[in-house]
Amino acid sequence: EEPKGPKGSSLRPITALRPITAMLRVALLTLALAASVGALTAVPLTTPYLARTPTFGGGAAPLPRAVRSEDISPPHLSLRGGGPVEPGIFVISVSVAFFAYALQMLLIPSRMMTDHFSGSSSPMLEFWIRGSSAAMFTTAYALMKLPSEEAHKLALAWVATGVIYPWNAKLGYIQSGLKPKYPMHYVPEILMLGLTVMGVLAF
């Protein structure tokens, strides 16, 4: 029986918002992580080391000297392109977002169907969704290990799959009749668009 709220009102809309809330939390976590890393990499590091400097007494005294951040930062975080977005921040954002999707595909594959489309899941569909999570985990990990220039291009190509996934589901220019479920399906549509724009601005 459908749960009732005050004066007999239905609570189904509130229940339907739970998966959306979960996805929004993932999106906020991704943005927070990206902002945190951006703040850390934007400020030059000032870790001192000892430099031998002549003194009036003829000897040499150790004085602190700043170390540049690019001297000790990982390549995918230290390299900055000419755009307003750092490639390293974009790569991290993509990795975190797709890692979250991979977890859902592995643990709750049926929800990838029932949350985003009007229809029911099936054992065969869940089999393919769960198996695809392995490739997504691997790619998310590999992005963090590649040099910044290569990782940036690969990550941008990855989020451009929005053309064949969420945007195709919405517009039906490749495959029609998929019947995406709203408002939940707005999440991947907007997420892929935002990451794509972010990747372009990182050049």
Side-chain angles (χ1 to χ4, degrees), residues 42 75 90 93-94 98 140 146 163 178 193:
F90 167 65
S93 301
V94 172
F98 279 95
L146 290 172
V163 173
L178 294 176
L193 178 61

Side-chain angles (χ1 to χ4, degrees), residues 75-157:
H76 64 283
L77 293 181
S78 62
L79 178 63
R80 181 176 178 86
V85 177
E86 291 191 33
I89 304 304
F90 167 65
V91 171
I92 291 174
S93 301
V94 172
S95 296
V96 172
F98 279 95
F99 185 84
Y101 270 113
L103 279 178
Q104 295 179 75
M105 294 167 67
L106 176 65
L107 302 177
I108 48 173
S110 62
R111 297 284 292 274
M112 300 298 291
M113 169 63 191
T114 57
D115 284 356
H116 294 275
F117 297 94
S118 299
S120 58
S121 183
S122 67
M124 181 58 70
L125 181 60
E126 293 171 19
F127 168 80
W128 284 107
I129 293 175
R130 181 177 284 113
S132 299
S133 68
M136 194 167 289
F137 277 123
T138 302
T139 308
Y141 175 79
L143 283 177
M144 302 300 296
K145 295 298 181 179
L146 290 172
S148 180
E149 184 176 357
E150 286 77 9
H152 174 205
K153 295 176 182 177
L154 178 59
L156 183 57

Side-chain angles (χ1 to χ4, degrees), residues 173-186:
Y173 46 79
I174 298 177
Q175 182 178 357
S176 59
L178 294 176
K179 298 179 181 180
K181 185 186 294 183
Y182 292 97
M184 186 60 187
H185 202 259
Y186 284 127

Side-chain angles (χ1 to χ4, degrees), residues 3-24:
K4 302 293 183 179
K7 298 182 180 180
S9 61
S10 173
L11 294 180
R12 178 173 294 178
I14 297 178
T15 304
L17 288 175
R18 290 177 181 173
I20 300 176
T21 303
M23 288 297 297
L24 288 176

Side-chain angles (χ1 to χ4, degrees), residues 40-41 43 45 67-79:
L40 290 174
T41 57
V43 179
L45 299 178
V67 178
R68 295 177 301 174
S69 59
E70 57 267 27
D71 292 336
I72 61 176
S73 296
H76 64 283
L77 293 181
S78 62
L79 178 63

